[in-house]
Amino acid sequence: MVKIDNLVKKYGDFCLNVSMEIADGTVTGIVGKNGAGKSTIIKAILGLIKADSGSVTINGKETDKLTGAEKAKLGVALSDSGFSSYLRVEDVICILRKSYPDFDEKFFRSKCLSLGLAFNKKIKDFSTGMKAKFRVLVAISHRAELLIMDEPTAGLDVEARNDILDLLRQYLSDNENSSILLTSHISSDLESLCDDIYLINDGAIVLHEDTDNILSNYAILKVDQETYEKLDKSYVLNTKKENFAYVCFTNEKQFYAENYPGIVIENGKIDDLILMMAGGQ
């Protein structure tokens, strides 16, 4: 579906240099602290910025050569873009009807009703949660083959987040061969949706792993100094010292459970991955 090959983009002292793939029918997450390069990757895929070198292709075709019909197969929800806030939902429906041959108006109207998005209300009068739900609903309403979501649930309450996650799950159920690229700081969203995770730090990918493998095999080890000195560190990815203890991050939980039965082992999460491998949230 999407292939990024040695993509380089420089902004002053910052340099993005990444390669990654999003396979057909998968949900891929990108995580990392603020400023790591997540949004730059998304902008490069969408052709919103020009790379200094490297390539981005969608279905084998470079993004700057996509036709209008091919671009219509993309669904995008970005926090800093969208329709004029002075448009009503009914106005947006007219735009979508003319812009996308596969726009499912019946589905769109049904979801607006269930989500409380009044047809005659202006977007500017929506709450933060309503605006976020509306962005995602627009993105999934025209049977897109690739969804690109940049922090779709950021800053939302639990109810609004759940509504958005339900929209994405329905999209996946209705479009089995379609793919999603998702960035988020909310680990539970990523863990429930993503098939694989890319961790990016300072413009470089430092880890790529299946989500199931992270949740089942990655772990936090907490040991005192004496145990740490004797510890086999073959499967320790990173270590941090905290007061009188050491915190180790491993991708082989079972090895340490079998060989060091006395140490504290906590199941790894996406948050741990970011904190231990990228040093921030």
Side-chain angles (χ1 to χ4, degrees):
M1 172 65 74
V2 179
K3 183 175 182 180
I4 299 174
D5 189 19
N6 295 315
L7 175 70
V8 175
K9 180 64 180 178
K10 296 180 180 179
Y11 293 106
D13 293 334
F14 175 80
C15 179
L16 177 77
N17 188 343
V18 297
S19 295
M20 60 183 292
E21 293 188 27
I22 305 163
D24 291 339
T26 63
V27 182
T28 294
I30 305 178
V31 300
K33 59 187 178 182
N34 292 335
K38 302 186 298 295
S39 295
T40 304
I41 292 174
I42 285 179
K43 290 176 181 178
I45 293 173
L46 296 175
L48 299 177
I49 59 172
K50 182 175 177 58
D52 297 320
S53 61
S55 64
V56 180
T57 58
I58 299 177
N59 292 327
K61 194 170 186 177
E62 293 190 7
T63 53
D64 60 353
K65 295 181 173 61
L66 294 177
T67 65
E70 289 167 333
K71 290 179 180 178
K73 293 298 183 181
L74 305 179
V76 182
L78 306 180
S79 60
D80 57 354
S81 66
F83 293 97
S84 167
S85 62
Y86 288 90
L87 292 177
R88 302 170 304 145
V89 172
E90 197 68 58
D91 299 325
V92 173
I93 290 174
C94 293
I95 295 171
L96 294 173
R97 190 189 300 135
K98 294 179 180 179
S99 301
Y100 297 101
D102 292 326
F103 173 57
D104 190 339
E105 185 171 341
K106 182 178 179 180
F107 166 81
F108 189 89
R109 288 183 177 276
S110 173
K111 285 300 178 183
C112 282
L113 289 172
S114 65
L115 295 170
L117 304 173
F119 297 116
N120 290 317
K121 195 170 185 177
K122 293 181 179 179
I123 297 173
K124 72 180 183 68
D125 297 323
F126 283 169
S127 67
T128 299
M130 293 169 69
K131 289 176 182 176
K133 287 185 276 190
F134 188 65
R135 282 195 296 269
V136 173
L137 179 57
V138 168
I140 69 172
S141 66
H142 55 276
R143 298 188 179 92
E145 294 177 356
L146 172 64
L147 283 187
I148 298 177
M149 307 268 122
D150 191 11
E151 300 283 353
T153 58
L156 305 184
D157 59 33
V158 173
E159 182 179 359
R161 279 180 52 218
N162 286 337
D163 284 340
I164 287 177
L165 294 177
D166 286 342
L167 285 173
L168 295 178
R169 291 187 184 103
Q170 181 169 356
Y171 164 83
L172 291 170
S173 177
D174 295 341
N175 303 272
E176 293 183 359
N177 294 322
S178 295
S179 304
I180 299 178
L181 176 63
L182 176 73
T183 72
S184 179
H185 282 87
I186 303 174
S187 61
S188 59
D189 293 354
L190 296 165
E191 290 164 4
S192 67
L193 282 174
C194 294
D195 297 295
D196 63 325
I197 298 287
Y198 283 90
L199 172 62
I200 184 170
N201 188 44
D202 293 334
I205 291 168
V206 296
L207 187 143
H208 176 221
E209 187 64 88
D210 288 345
T211 308
D212 287 345
N213 196 37
I214 294 172
L215 299 179
S216 61
N217 295 324
Y218 283 62
I220 293 288
L221 313 176
K222 294 185 177 180
V223 298
D224 58 27
Q225 183 165 341
E226 181 180 354
T227 304
Y228 178 75
E229 290 173 354
K230 298 176 181 178
L231 191 72
D232 184 338
K233 302 177 184 63
S234 301
Y235 307 107
V236 172
L237 301 177
N238 201 5
T239 301
K240 290 188 177 181
K241 193 173 188 308
E242 294 185 351
N243 297 325
F244 301 102
Y246 287 85
V247 178
C248 305
F249 192 56
T250 179
N251 59 351
E252 290 291 344
K253 176 177 65 178
Q254 193 62 31
F255 171 82
Y256 292 99
E258 292 175 354
N259 292 281
Y260 300 89
I263 67 174
V264 176
I265 300 177
E266 298 176 354
N267 291 334
K269 300 289 186 180
I270 302 296
D271 286 341
D272 298 320
L273 187 73
I274 299 171
L275 287 169
M276 293 299 294
M277 299 298 293
Q281 296 181 345

